[in-house]
Amino acid sequence: MEATAKLRNLKGSPQKARLVIDLIRGRNVSQALSILKFTNKRAADPIAKVLRSAIANATYTAEQQNIAIDPDDLFIKTCFVDMGPHKNRSRMRPAPQGRAFREHRHYCHITVLVSSDKPAPNDDYAPTRKKGKKLLAKEAGENKAKTTKKAEKADEVKEEKVITTDPVAEMMNTKEAEVEAPTVEEKAETIVQDETAPSESEAFEQQAKEIKEEAADAKDASSQRTVEINATQKADEAQLDENEQLERQ
């Protein structure tokens, strides 16, 4: 649903009116009215009147066509200012050396089109300052070109990284990993051995016992030797005594 409203021959330059009308392009109707209310420009009040008349035209046409429309849901699809005639609005401006320059003060024409369709961000009537479809298409093409360039650079960096890697080092690393990595069976055997093997404290106690037994055996051996030596000496002395007695006889 669309409706238009026009204001003809408004006193004021179109350049000054465009500064105000650029503020409301592509916005919601209620938001645009609030902006115009607090805008400190002379063209704000007549532009607000044009906008209200456009809203009224939209509601009237909707009633005639049996269409339900909420005025707060309307958006400003297009709005522009055209230059009008000067209509004998010529003035004299003082110039240097007593001269006078002729000045023409123009009128302007304001047009506002209201629509119930919400504008897309890439439309030419979105709240962007003087951006047409061609400019938007150019910007979209530039953005695509930038993204493609970034993707190409990323691919080049990846290729360089792949080329700079040493294949021999990679093969050696993989072989070492294969050799060092134990299988599941080896892991199970090591776990069983660890469970069956005695603990460190038990092994230490066994070693201490063995050392004590060796020391006891060594002491027994030394005592036995001294006893044996004494016994042999006594036997030798007895034999000598017997020999001496035999000689005397």
Side-chain angles (χ1 to χ4, degrees):
M1 185 63 199
E2 295 181 356
T4 59
K6 294 182 181 180
L7 177 63
R8 309 284 292 180
N9 298 326
L10 176 67
K11 286 184 179 181
S13 66
Q15 185 178 2
K16 293 178 181 178
R18 288 189 186 108
L19 295 173
V20 179
I21 206 147
D22 289 338
L23 299 173
I24 62 172
R25 186 177 287 110
R27 296 187 182 276
N28 190 7
V29 169
S30 59
Q31 188 179 5
L33 289 171
S34 63
I35 289 168
L36 293 171
K37 184 178 179 181
F38 296 102
T39 301
N40 190 14
K41 294 286 185 181
R42 190 176 65 180
D45 291 335
I47 289 169
K49 289 181 181 179
V50 177
L51 181 57
R52 289 192 188 95
S53 66
I55 295 165
N57 292 333
T59 54
Y60 178 72
T61 53
E63 287 177 359
Q64 285 185 345
Q65 296 177 4
N66 293 325
I67 298 170
I69 286 178
D70 188 3
D72 293 331
D73 294 336
L74 295 173
F75 288 86
I76 298 170
K77 186 174 182 179
T78 57
C79 56
F80 52 88
V81 180
D82 294 327
M83 183 182 288
H86 54 83
K87 278 191 178 181
N88 297 323
R89 291 188 69 205
S90 60
R91 303 288 185 270
M92 299 300 291
R93 191 175 64 184
Q97 297 181 359
R99 289 177 293 181
F101 292 159
R102 184 172 290 178
E103 181 182 7
H104 293 289
R105 296 188 179 181
H106 289 268
Y107 290 90
C108 63
H109 307 313
I110 297 169
T111 305
V112 177
L113 190 146
V114 175
S115 176
S116 60
D117 298 330
K118 188 174 181 180
N122 291 328
D123 291 338
D124 57 349
Y125 58 89
T128 55
R129 186 183 175 89
K130 296 180 183 179
K131 284 189 177 181
K133 291 182 179 180
K134 292 182 180 179
L135 293 173
L136 292 169
K138 286 181 181 179
E139 289 180 357
E142 289 177 357
N143 292 328
K144 287 182 181 179
K146 287 180 182 179
T147 53
T148 53
K149 286 180 181 179
K150 287 181 180 179
E152 288 177 358
K153 287 181 180 179
D155 294 333
E156 289 176 358
V157 171
K158 288 181 181 179
E159 288 178 357
E160 288 178 357
K161 288 181 179 179
V162 171
I163 291 166
T164 52
T165 54
D166 191 0
V168 177
E170 289 181 357
M171 292 292 290
M172 293 296 290
N173 292 327
T174 53
K175 287 181 180 180
E176 289 178 356
E178 290 178 357
V179 171
E180 291 178 358
T183 60
V184 177
E185 295 177 355
E186 291 178 353
K187 288 181 179 179
E189 289 179 356
T190 53
I191 290 165
V192 172
Q193 289 177 1
D194 293 334
E195 291 178 355
T196 55
S199 62
E200 293 180 356
S201 61
E202 292 177 355
F204 183 75
E205 290 177 356
Q206 289 180 359
Q207 290 179 358
K209 287 179 181 180
E210 290 177 356
I211 291 165
K212 287 180 181 179
E213 290 177 356
E214 289 178 356
D217 293 335
K219 288 180 180 179
D220 294 337
S222 62
S223 60
Q224 287 175 2
R225 286 175 184 173
T226 54
V227 170
E228 288 177 356
I229 291 165
N230 293 324
T232 53
Q233 287 178 357
K234 289 179 181 180
D236 294 334
E237 289 176 356
Q239 288 180 0
L240 289 170
D241 293 336
E242 289 177 358
N243 292 326
E244 287 177 357
Q245 290 175 2
L246 293 170
E247 288 178 356
R248 286 175 184 177
Q249 291 176 1

